[in-house]
Amino acid sequence: MATRKYSKRALGEAAQGYLFMSPTIFTLGLFLVAPILFAVFLAFHKVKLLGGMDFQYLGLDNFTRFFTDQRALIALKNTGFYVLIVVPVQTFLALLLAATLNAGLKGQRFFRIIYFLPTLTSSAVLTLIFMWMYNQNGLVNQILSMFGLPTYNWVGDPKVALIAIMIMNIWSTAPYFMVIYLAALQDISDQIYEAAEIDGANAIQKFWYITVPILKPVTSFVVIMGIIGTFQLFDQSYIFSGGSGGPNNSTLTVVLLIYQYAFKNLGTMGYAAALAFILAAIILIATLLQRKFSKEESLY
């Protein structure tokens, strides 16, 4: 009898809990789970959404089409090149900035604010500012001319257009990861550095043999977040190229290509959904590989 009462009470408490959670469950189901399931459905169909909905089952054709789509391969190549350059550079720069600010320099609070300002700026506004700077008669070329260096058509030259976006994104994203590194650096005990000084270690040795190994878990997190963010490059490429991925597909990324197939080409919404899942699989594989080749344990 006591067990039955206890069961009824437990069921009542569980029902009450789910009742309180129901708004959140409904919201997540409507705006997260349902779109994912619908995207899975679209990935296996040829979809016509305008002029009356029409779904034609294609099986795995949308996925196999990726390997014969030249623009998709170009987009993947551009995105991969972007990730390979931006992630290591922004990680190193973030660590370097954090270590500099953590060294106890005068005015470090002021420099923290200055360094972090790019992260607070809207991505669209930041892109427009850099497009003005990248103009052939803009600030960047003027500075290069002052030092006798060659100038470039940063926006219109296929050879440097993607590099221009890389420079802008490294400058704008490194401060965000700098804050993460700075918080981790302030958590390292000074006694470790004092012991190293007694053993005769200089500043570079302390940084390389103490700071860097201790921050391996943080670096792993920063690299993973960097990989996820860089693979999803869209808005800067869209604004730079006016949505075309030009010049000559040099700034075309996978996410921009997904947008083009989903909203600019009729009948390719299903293929766009398949590309989205392929991109998700690539990000997952890259993240798992990074975790496998990095040691997650802390050394203190």
Side-chain angles (χ1 to χ4, degrees):
M1 192 70 179
T3 303
R4 183 179 299 175
K5 289 182 179 180
Y6 176 78
S7 299
K8 289 182 178 180
R9 181 179 178 181
L11 290 174
E13 291 178 349
Q16 188 178 27
Y18 281 110
L19 179 64
F20 284 122
M21 290 191 299
S22 59
T24 301
I25 294 174
F26 174 78
T27 303
L28 291 176
L30 181 63
F31 295 103
L32 182 64
V33 178
I36 292 175
L37 294 178
F38 187 57
V40 173
F41 172 79
L42 292 178
F44 293 94
H45 292 77
K46 181 179 180 180
V47 184
K48 181 182 178 183
L49 296 180
L50 299 178
M53 282 195 177
D54 182 29
F55 301 95
Q56 179 182 351
Y57 180 72
L58 299 178
L60 296 175
D61 288 354
N62 283 332
F63 292 92
T64 57
R65 177 181 172 182
F66 168 79
F67 300 99
T68 58
D69 186 351
Q70 292 300 317
R71 295 193 77 232
L73 297 177
I74 291 173
L76 181 60
K77 178 183 176 181
N78 291 341
T79 305
F81 177 65
Y82 177 85
V83 172
L84 289 175
I85 299 300
V86 172
V87 173
V89 174
Q90 75 181 8
T91 302
F92 174 77
L93 183 60
L95 178 57
L96 185 63
L97 291 174
T100 303
L101 291 177
N102 195 55
L105 300 176
K106 292 183 179 180
Q108 61 180 0
R109 291 185 179 180
F110 171 76
F111 286 110
R112 287 179 188 178
I113 296 173
I114 295 298
Y115 289 161
F116 194 69
L117 281 179
T119 303
L120 302 176
T121 308
S122 168
S123 177
V125 173
L126 190 66
T127 305
L128 292 175
I129 292 173
F130 266 82
M131 286 184 68
W132 169 76
M133 293 172 59
Y134 282 142
N135 189 282
Q136 286 186 311
N137 297 319
L139 180 62
V140 175
N141 279 341
Q142 289 181 11
I143 294 174
L144 292 175
S145 297
M146 288 174 56
F147 291 95
L149 298 174
T151 59
Y152 300 96
N153 181 8
W154 295 94
V155 179
D157 189 347
K159 296 180 180 179
V160 297
L162 187 60
I163 296 175
I165 298 177
M166 290 180 185
I167 295 171
M168 178 188 66
N169 278 340
I170 291 170
W171 181 80
S172 63
T173 56
Y176 169 75
F177 296 118
M178 175 200 70
V179 174
I180 298 173
Y181 271 124
L182 186 59
L185 284 170
Q186 293 177 347
D187 195 40
I188 300 176
S189 175
D190 292 335
Q191 296 177 354
I192 301 176
Y193 294 110
E194 292 172 359
E197 287 181 1
I198 294 174
D199 291 337
N202 56 36
I204 297 177
Q205 290 173 328
K206 286 189 293 182
F207 177 78
W208 186 254
Y209 293 106
I210 297 177
T211 305
V212 173
I214 288 178
L215 292 179
K216 277 186 177 180
V218 180
T219 301
S220 177
F221 170 78
V222 169
V223 170
I224 289 173
M225 295 303 295
I227 289 173
I228 295 172
T230 50
F231 264 113
Q232 298 181 55
L233 174 66
F234 169 73
D235 46 353
Q236 295 92 340
S237 179
Y238 179 89
I239 297 172
F240 257 76
S241 64
S244 66
N248 196 24
N249 291 327
S250 60
T251 61
L252 182 66
T253 63
V254 176
V255 178
L256 179 57
L257 185 66
I258 292 171
Y259 166 81
Q260 291 177 351
Y261 278 125
F263 301 107
K264 288 193 173 184
N265 298 340
L266 295 178
T268 54
M269 178 70 76
Y271 180 49
L275 286 177
F277 282 105
I278 291 173
L279 178 61
I282 293 173
I283 294 175
L284 178 61
I285 293 171
T287 302
L288 292 176
L289 289 175
Q290 195 282 329
R291 287 177 59 88
K292 181 178 180 180
F293 292 110
S294 66
K295 295 181 179 179
E296 299 292 337
E297 71 273 7
S298 176
L299 300 181
Y300 70 102

